[in-house]
Amino acid sequence: LPHRVGMPICPPDVLIGVGGGGTRIVHRILRRDDVLEQVLTDDGSEGLSAAIIDTETDGDWHREAAARTREGFEAVRARVDGQPGGLSLHGPVLLPEALGGDVPARLTSRPFVRDLCEAEGLDNWWLDDRTEPLQTFDDAGIGGGTYRFRSLAKALYHAASFSGGSIAPPTTADDDVALVASLGGGTGSGTVLD
């Protein structure tokens, strides 16, 4: 959300960071006092709902970043006497955790895949047991993200959504929604471009 001094900031109603790159950018935006103050003090603003979605589960950096962002919300809210509902951060939603269980087995289970494709409106499924990208994913573990395998990111997103996980905040047809993702990785480019 770059702007010139004196120019108004127009944040979207919903801001969604997908993947490592998108997540980091959204946190940077949400830590800008000028953006938060605009959302909290603009009479025309209905608030800003943000979400963080990724596949990397190693370490606690997602939860620590979300905690720092929420602390920033509170600090700006206290300074400008902002409304409590004006800012919210959904997540982090880590897709392998949202899916749960033995992820590679679920992503190749014929009954699960058949039901998922029907429910999600998918014409085909692109993962087979013991082939790439699941072989690398199975060998390396689930914690490091999708290792640039966009098809795996797409599968995880659809499977987690189908499994009933709340992936992103609710939106209406009138909401301005901004998706932020890096096109050079796996999770962001694998899900946002679909």
Side-chain angles (χ1 to χ4, degrees):
L1 299 171
H3 73 286
R4 293 186 212 139
V5 174
M7 297 288 291
I9 302 166
C10 299
D13 301 310
V14 180
L15 179 62
I16 302 173
V18 184
T23 292
R24 286 176 179 86
I25 292 168
V26 165
H27 279 300
R28 286 179 54 196
I29 292 168
L30 295 176
R31 291 182 187 147
R32 287 184 45 179
D33 287 355
D34 57 338
V35 172
L36 301 180
E37 288 170 7
Q38 176 76 24
V39 169
L40 290 171
T41 60
D42 182 4
D43 289 336
S45 173
E46 293 186 24
L48 173 61
S49 179
I52 301 299
I53 303 167
D54 200 3
T55 56
E56 182 182 342
T57 59
D58 278 349
D60 289 328
W61 81 267
H62 277 295
R63 288 175 183 82
E64 290 168 0
R68 285 192 310 274
T69 298
R70 288 184 179 103
E71 288 169 9
F73 287 1
E74 295 309 314
V76 172
R77 226 183 241 127
R79 190 172 61 247
V80 300
D81 195 27
Q83 303 161 354
L87 294 167
S88 66
L89 178 60
H90 179 81
V93 175
L94 306 178
L95 296 176
E97 291 177 0
L99 181 56
D102 182 355
V103 173
R106 290 193 71 191
L107 293 178
T108 57
S109 162
R110 290 189 190 279
F112 179 78
V113 169
R114 181 189 61 243
D115 294 345
L116 181 152
C117 287
E118 185 176 306
E120 296 281 311
L122 302 174
D123 293 330
N124 59 49
W125 193 247
W126 46 90
L127 298 176
D128 291 314
D129 193 21
R130 295 191 177 92
T131 62
E132 290 297 348
L134 281 180
Q135 186 62 48
T136 297
F137 187 60
D138 219 7
D139 293 344
I142 201 167
T146 61
Y147 306 101
R148 299 199 191 299
F149 287 113
R150 291 176 178 94
S151 61
L152 182 55
K154 187 183 308 189
L156 283 166
Y157 177 82
H158 284 293
S161 174
F162 172 69
S163 295
S166 175
I167 306 298
T171 60
T172 69
D174 296 328
D175 285 338
D176 290 325
V177 178
L179 295 172
V180 181
S182 166
L183 297 181
T187 302
S189 54
T191 55
V192 170
L193 294 178
D194 187 20

